[in-house]
Amino acid sequence: MNLKNACKSTALLAAVALLSGCASIGHVRLAKDEAPVVTGPTVRDNVTPYEPALACLADRINELGRPKIVFAVGDVKDYTGKYDINQGNAITQGGSLMVESALGKLGGAVDIAERYDTQVAEMELGWMNSRELGDGQLHQLGPDGKQTVPWMPYYGGTLLASQYYIVGGITEYNYNIQSGGAQIFGNLNGPSARTYTSNVGIDLRLVDTKTLQVVDTVSLEKQVVGYEVDAGLFQFFGSNLWDVYLGEKDQEPLQLAIRAVLEEGTIDLVAAAEGINPQPCLALAGTDPKNIPAQDLRKLPDPVDQVGMPGAPGKVFGTVQGQQPALHPVNAAFAPASPQQSGGLEKVMFAYGSADISGGSEGTMMAIAQAAHKGNVIVELIAPSNENWDPSRRQMLIAQRVQAFKRALAKAGLANPALQVSWMPDATSTEIVNDGAGSQKIAILVVSSPN
């Protein structure tokens, strides 16, 4: 083999060796008459080293057994001012979205109220208010329910209020806070190696929505590291000039680093709102080598799962003197679950789309608690009639509302009450069962004292 071919073979082998460490590259033909296109790795969950910490915090919140706090996210802007005319903004402009995703990774341990982009909701609420918005169903109005209209009634108060919101920004990006390396050249040939470090910083604050008081602040920074190694050959072999360059450059993903810092900031602020020390959970960051999403690392189920999903045969919230629940289809008469039951029918109203019991219900809860000490009480849970969720979401919301009702009973003096589901909508039905003007039935429970 002559020198020319030897050099060519060496260069090709070295290039293949370097490329072997890159992401997998393949080709796929999307249609039989099309040229194949290059395909890379498949889509995956966007995980960070903070998945175990987020899972831990969600479990700690669930252990408290308290009503869920409602968080919102405002603007989390890029305040660094770093901009390149060719490459655009150096820092992500989606800080708010990353904070919302961090809250979502808590898996339902907290509620999230949308405040970042409300355009669609504002448009539809406007149309509803002007009686122009419909859902393909007829709605009954009036005290007797005889007036039927095709538009969705608007009763006001449908928006869920937030209790806290998170705002702030990405405030630092220092390109090169430290670098170092070595280079050995002889006749324009030789290897070189270099390492470099930059950093990013954020400042977030937790604000009480009602008072606008800043409850807590966090200021965090993270270093971003990278390295570069290369070797070059620039030389004449006879009448041929060979210019060979081999190298590799790796840098920690900048935007992923920003996401990780925002997630730690979110953990700190949520823990402050919940009254939890975040440090034991933060100590778990980076301990998940398999990159499993936070929701799959949870040790405790969501509050919905703790009480069970009502509607399935045999699901009981406690027991009522050993009786099994009588589950009726959605269009059946609402008969008491047992002829031995005593006490009148009580109604408990919930706010739109929320597990919060409507204000002014303290007297009703006291009456239910007192009556349950004497015998079984039939309680009808109701919600605004303009709620029209898909069946799965409705089932989850009913389970949350039953749990909230149980907590309210404990507050009213009936700790650990026995709850039996007498009726609730079928798990696949989309039908709404009206309960007079402006409300619909969502469940009927039988409440009794645990003694």
Side-chain angles (χ1 to χ4, degrees):
M1 181 182 293
N2 60 33
L3 181 61
K4 178 178 179 180
N5 290 333
C7 290
K8 183 183 295 185
S9 300
T10 302
L12 287 173
L13 288 172
V16 170
L18 283 174
L19 290 175
S20 65
C22 299
S24 61
I25 299 176
H27 291 79
V28 62
R29 191 184 301 273
L30 300 176
K32 63 180 181 180
D33 55 346
E34 289 185 353
V37 296
V38 175
T39 60
T42 58
V43 177
R44 62 169 177 82
D45 289 310
N46 196 354
V47 295
T48 73
Y50 283 85
E51 304 297 320
L54 289 161
C56 168
L57 180 61
D59 285 341
R60 292 287 306 280
I61 294 172
N62 280 354
E63 286 175 351
L64 298 175
R66 299 190 301 225
K68 292 193 288 185
I69 294 178
V70 184
F71 290 88
V73 179
D75 250 340
V76 180
K77 295 182 179 180
D78 166 23
Y79 289 99
T80 64
K82 297 293 193 294
Y83 181 83
D84 184 273
I85 193 171
N86 295 316
Q87 298 182 355
N89 294 294
I91 297 296
T92 175
Q93 306 299 291
S96 297
L97 307 182
M98 291 182 176
V99 173
E100 288 215 37
S101 294
L103 291 173
K105 288 182 178 182
L106 294 174
V110 300
D111 281 333
I112 308 172
E114 177 59 52
R115 295 295 182 268
Y116 187 66
D117 186 354
T118 61
Q119 294 183 70
V120 173
E122 289 174 355
M123 290 173 62
E124 294 208 356
L125 285 172
W127 291 335
M128 188 184 298
N129 194 35
S130 60
R131 301 182 177 182
E132 296 175 342
L133 187 68
D135 58 0
Q137 300 183 23
L138 295 177
H139 297 270
Q140 296 176 336
L141 301 180
D144 54 3
K146 292 183 178 180
Q147 182 184 359
T148 302
V149 296
W151 39 264
M152 295 176 62
Y154 181 66
Y155 299 102
T158 59
L159 297 181
L160 178 65
S162 66
Q163 295 165 266
Y164 299 98
Y165 65 91
I166 298 174
V167 287
I170 304 159
T171 50
E172 292 184 47
Y173 178 34
N174 302 303
Y175 281 121
N176 195 345
I177 60 175
Q178 186 183 46
S179 63
Q183 190 175 45
I184 303 174
F185 264 20
N187 296 323
L188 300 179
N189 301 320
S192 66
R194 185 169 74 96
T195 63
Y196 45 89
T197 305
S198 57
N199 81 321
V200 293
I202 66 160
D203 291 271
L204 299 178
R205 59 193 184 274
L206 178 70
V207 183
D208 187 303
T209 305
K210 292 182 179 179
T211 65
L212 293 186
Q213 178 184 8
V214 176
V215 178
D216 196 15
T217 63
V218 292
S219 182
L220 303 171
E221 75 91 31
K222 183 188 186 319
Q223 293 190 351
V224 183
V225 298
Y227 70 89
E228 183 176 358
V229 293
D230 59 57
L233 174 67
F234 185 82
Q235 189 170 340
F236 280 97
F237 292 96
S239 60
N240 297 313
L241 173 63
W242 285 89
D243 185 359
V244 180
Y245 173 83
L246 302 175
E248 182 177 2
K249 180 178 180 180
D250 274 333
Q251 177 179 315
E252 184 179 358
L254 174 62
Q255 315 306 343
L256 180 60
I258 294 172
R259 182 184 294 274
V261 180
L262 289 173
E263 287 186 349
E264 177 164 339
T266 302
I267 290 172
D268 283 335
L269 296 180
V270 171
E274 296 281 359
I276 296 173
N277 178 11
Q279 294 309 314
C281 289
L282 289 174
L284 299 175
T287 60
D288 172 31
K290 297 181 180 179
N291 293 325
I292 301 174
Q295 57 266 31
D296 296 333
L297 293 171
R298 297 280 299 279
K299 293 181 173 59
L300 295 178
D302 289 335
V304 171
D305 298 325
Q306 289 180 17
V307 299
M309 186 64 70
K315 288 290 185 181
V316 184
F317 296 86
T319 59
V320 180
Q321 299 177 355
Q323 300 167 5
Q324 292 298 316
L327 299 178
H328 306 292
V330 70
N331 57 356
F334 299 96
S338 168
Q340 287 78 33
Q341 290 171 351
S342 61
L345 176 67
E346 297 285 354
K347 295 187 179 184
V348 176
M349 181 73 175
F350 286 85
Y352 179 90
S354 169
D356 295 334
I357 298 175
S358 297
S361 61
E362 292 81 1
T364 301
M365 298 306 302
M366 289 290 293
I368 295 173
Q370 292 173 4
H373 284 296
K374 302 176 182 179
N376 297 342
V377 182
I378 305 172
V379 179
E380 187 177 283
L381 304 185
I382 58 178
S385 61
N386 55 342
E387 281 192 358
N388 188 21
W389 315 117
D390 62 84
S392 61
R393 180 178 178 185
R394 178 170 63 180
Q395 295 295 98
M396 290 184 64
L397 188 54
I398 289 174
Q400 293 172 352
R401 284 167 166 170
V402 170
Q403 184 74 346
F405 172 70
K406 188 175 181 179
R407 289 193 297 266
L409 282 177
K411 188 176 180 181
L414 183 62
N416 299 317
L419 303 182
Q420 175 183 328
V421 180
S422 175
W423 171 88
M424 66 168 294
D426 185 78
T428 60
S429 174
T430 59
E431 184 177 353
I432 293 176
V433 180
N434 289 317
D435 184 61
S439 63
Q440 60 174 297
K441 298 178 178 72
I442 58 173
I444 295 181
L445 308 177
V446 180
V447 184
S448 64
S449 172
N451 300 325

